[in-house]
Amino acid sequence: MSILMVLLVRDEEDIVYENLMFHLEMGVDHIIATDNGSDDRTRDILAEFERLGVMTLIDEPGRDHSQWRWVTRMARMARDVFDATWIIPNDADEFWLPTGGSYRAVLENFGADVLKCHRFNMVGAYSDSDQAPWYETVRYRIAKPIEAQVPKNYLNETIDHPHFYRALDGKVLVKARHLKYIREGNHSAVFDREVIQQETDSVVVYHFPVRSRSQFESKITNTAVSYSRNTELPTNIGWHQRRWYHLLKSKGLEESFRAAVPTEDQFNKDVASGILIEDSEIGRILGKFPGRISEFT
């Protein structure tokens, strides 16, 4: 059995090292990463992992958010070049935790072709979120997510809850054989034959979308501008990113930030009421790793 991870990144220097270390520790055999023209140190970090022989690095200069195409290209490489059995289509802010100790131990027990893995949003005490390491602050899981529809007027409609309190769709972990492509957002995949899909808690995905105000501003700006250049995707794809960017330009960073995450007062109230619960499992694992790639080598 060969387990590969494919990773599309841009300007994720604050989290990409931890992401790569974590998934290698959990049992990924090789990583294929696409850097989408990062302006920070992201590509340098990726290049160090490539130098170690655990990663194949692709440069993608496109700026039209053709995410599904770029992810599918990596997935097909994982299948055809590296003979992958399973593929984890990942984002830099997601950590796929195998509850059985390792991916190999978990995946040996499944006959399904697609595993739909449950995903949790993680938030933190954002008055402190610019202090490192981020995983010591962003350690609260949304225990009571809100089921809500996409607003019709998502740019201007008032929404009475932080976006990351909303329930999340899961992500798919897929077998490589017969794979045709992975759909936008890594929520589903298409095969050249009928396949078996199974929901599972044997692998759960921890999502750390906001680690600091500066990271949030960079992320929504990059993503929203890329969406605006893509003429294929419906405008409701990435609606929340488009909304935050609209708020950023019209009302400023703080208004945009408050639309995504709780204020400090709301955070404290929701911890006390159990809407947010402390979950430091990912941070516990990350805390074991050396702080620099040179120490890892």
Side-chain angles (χ1 to χ4, degrees):
M1 179 188 296
S2 178
I3 303 164
L4 268 74
M5 183 174 83
V6 300
L7 184 70
L8 175 63
V9 294
R10 179 181 175 189
D11 293 342
E12 302 277 10
E13 67 177 0
D14 72 313
I15 196 170
V16 70
Y17 168 81
E18 288 85 357
N19 188 291
L20 298 171
M21 291 288 289
F22 176 88
H23 291 95
L24 289 168
E25 176 76 7
M26 295 298 108
V28 163
D29 295 305
H30 192 77
I31 298 164
I32 302 174
T34 294
D35 181 75
N36 188 208
S38 293
D39 292 321
D40 62 5
R41 292 183 55 254
T42 296
R43 195 191 182 285
D44 295 336
I45 296 168
L46 297 175
E48 284 295 293
F49 281 86
E50 184 179 46
R51 182 182 62 80
L52 292 174
V54 297
M55 173 184 289
T56 298
L57 178 56
I58 300 170
D59 287 302
E60 173 51 65
R63 283 289 191 262
D64 62 350
H65 201 81
S66 294
Q67 189 253 6
W68 74 269
R69 285 196 175 90
W70 302 334
V71 172
T72 296
R73 176 176 60 191
M74 291 187 287
R76 290 174 177 170
M77 179 184 291
R79 179 193 64 199
D80 300 336
V81 177
F82 293 94
D83 196 26
T85 309
W86 288 94
I87 299 171
I88 301 173
N90 198 18
D91 295 328
D93 59 5
E94 293 178 344
F95 291 73
W96 300 57
L97 178 70
T99 57
S102 73
Y103 299 124
R104 196 168 306 276
V106 167
L107 295 175
E108 286 176 344
N109 298 322
F110 285 101
D113 305 280
V114 179
L115 300 182
K116 192 69 173 281
C117 303
H118 296 151
R119 189 164 54 120
F120 309 118
N121 274 330
M122 301 292 290
V123 299
Y126 290 100
S127 61
D128 298 324
S129 64
D130 285 320
Q131 298 179 7
W134 57 266
Y135 52 81
E136 291 185 358
T137 300
V138 188
R139 65 180 191 273
Y140 292 86
R141 174 161 50 87
I142 310 299
K144 300 175 183 178
I146 297 168
E147 299 286 347
Q149 300 297 316
V150 176
K152 290 183 178 179
N153 181 9
Y154 55 79
L155 289 183
N156 298 300
E157 187 174 328
T158 299
I159 300 175
D160 63 1
H161 56 268
H163 178 81
F164 289 116
Y165 279 34
R166 297 169 70 93
L168 282 175
D169 191 11
K171 292 292 183 86
V172 292
L173 198 162
V174 301
K175 276 188 177 175
R177 190 178 183 188
H178 299 291
L179 178 69
K180 289 182 67 176
Y181 60 89
I182 296 172
R183 288 195 173 105
E184 182 76 20
N186 305 335
H187 300 293
S188 62
V190 175
F191 293 77
D192 63 12
R193 64 172 179 81
E194 187 174 347
V195 298
I196 300 171
Q197 177 169 307
Q198 180 176 342
E199 287 197 15
T200 182
D201 283 323
S202 295
V203 178
V204 292
V205 184
Y206 285 74
H207 184 217
F208 296 86
V210 181
R211 283 92 62 193
S212 70
R213 284 173 173 79
S214 58
Q215 168 266 324
F216 176 76
E217 181 178 14
S218 173
K219 181 75 171 181
I220 63 172
T221 300
N222 287 343
T223 304
V225 171
S226 295
Y227 274 132
S228 71
R229 294 171 178 163
N230 190 305
T231 58
E232 295 180 336
L233 294 175
T235 55
N236 64 342
I237 297 295
W239 68 270
H240 51 297
Q241 301 277 0
R242 301 175 199 261
R243 171 182 170 82
W244 298 332
Y245 187 65
H246 174 73
L247 288 171
L248 173 68
K249 301 301 288 185
S250 61
K251 298 184 178 181
L253 176 60
E254 287 305 307
E255 191 71 20
S256 179
F257 194 74
R258 284 195 294 269
V261 297
T263 62
E264 186 174 5
D265 286 345
Q266 183 175 2
F267 171 85
N268 291 331
K269 180 183 70 175
D270 292 342
V271 169
S273 68
I275 292 174
L276 302 176
I277 61 173
E278 186 168 2
D279 185 340
S280 300
E281 180 62 16
I282 301 300
R284 181 189 65 79
I285 296 170
L286 296 180
K288 301 187 301 182
F289 299 144
R292 297 186 300 275
I293 187 70
S294 57
E295 297 173 359
F296 171 62
T297 58

